Every structure is written in structure tokens, then in C-alpha cells.
């Protein structure tokens, strides 16, 4: 079975870097999906301070990612990457389930 989310080397490195500088009660990052944005849904990333009973736990390249149960069906097969450009940097979700993405790249539709 394919994992819900795969991490690129860049994403794993950036998460490790971020986690090394946060308070010790954070245990990883949580990925969720919420309604909003011009295309209807957007990705949410936050520090995970505890394991929710319904979380899917992904361990990849030495990083723990907690996936909100409500987001699983939207994220199946997604690769999380980290892009750094001259004036910006961000996590990017390469999601095969997307049927549409807004022009700014902040929201999507399945």
C-alpha cells in the first residue's frame, strides 16, 4: 500500500531543521486540510504537541508527520516537498488527487 504522504529529501531536511529549534513539547508536524481559499480547500501545517487518537502517523526519512484523519482521503499519494527560491520558500504538496489549483497555489480542489 502506498503511504498517505511521502516526503522529499528537501522536505524532510527542512522539517528536521524546524523541529530542532522548537520547544521540546513538539513531537512532529501535523498536516491537515481545511475548507477555504479560492479553489475550496487548503493545506494546513502545524506543530504536533500530542498524538490524536485518530491521527495517521507517517515516519519517513527520520521525520514524524501526523496526518489528521479527516485529511487522509484528500492526501493519499501526495508528496510533500520544500522549495526555496530567491525571494520565497515554502512546503509544496504534489497531490495526484487535485483536479484544480488556484493561481496563487494556496488552495486546491479534488
Amino acid at each position: 500500500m502506498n503511504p498517505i504522504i511521502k516526503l522529499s529529501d528537501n522536505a524532510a531536511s527542512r522539517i528536521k531543521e524546524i523541529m530542532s529549534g522548537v520547544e521540546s513539547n513538539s513531537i512532529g508536524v501535523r498536516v491537515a486540510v481545511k475548507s477555504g481559499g479560492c479553489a475550496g480547500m487548503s493545506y494546513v501545517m502545524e506543530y504536533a504537541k500530542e498524538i490524536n487518537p485518530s491521527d495517521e502517523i507517517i515516519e519517513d526519512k527520520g521525520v514524524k508527520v501526523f496526518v489528521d484523519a479527516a485529511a487522509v482521503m484528500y492526501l493519499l499519494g501526495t508528496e510533500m516537498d520544500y522549495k526555496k527560491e530567491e525571494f520565497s520558500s515554502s512546503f509544496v504538496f504534489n497531490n495526484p488527487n487535485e483536479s484544480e489549483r488556484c493561481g496563487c497555489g494556496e488552495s486546491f480542489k479534488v
Side-chain angles (χ1 to χ4, degrees):
M1 185 168 110
N2 287 336
I4 298 165
I5 288 182
K6 296 182 294 188
L7 300 177
S8 71
D9 291 339
N10 288 341
S13 294
R14 181 63 179 141
I15 292 171
K16 286 177 189 174
E17 186 180 324
I18 290 169
M19 293 303 298
S20 70
V22 299
E23 61 272 6
S24 60
N25 63 343
S26 293
I27 56 174
V29 294
R30 178 168 285 110
V31 176
V33 171
K34 70 175 184 172
S35 295
C38 45
M41 305 185 90
S42 57
Y43 299 104
V44 178
M45 281 185 69
E46 61 189 11
Y47 294 114
K49 300 194 184 300
E50 62 186 22
I51 301 170
N52 294 333
S54 58
D55 280 345
E56 293 286 338
I57 302 169
I58 309 299
E59 293 188 57
D60 189 14
K61 298 178 175 74
V63 174
K64 278 190 181 180
V65 177
F66 300 87
V67 179
D68 179 72
V72 169
M73 67 181 176
Y74 301 109
L75 297 174
L76 285 170
T78 296
E79 180 193 43
M80 186 160 78
D81 195 8
Y82 181 74
K83 301 272 185 193
K84 189 170 185 176
E85 297 174 355
E86 190 174 353
F87 296 110
S88 67
S89 61
S90 64
F91 285 97
V92 176
F93 293 86
N94 299 312
N95 187 339
N97 305 302
E98 287 181 14
S99 60
E100 193 175 309
R101 186 176 275 249
C102 70
C104 65
E106 291 295 315
S107 63
F108 69 100
K109 182 178 180 180
V110 291

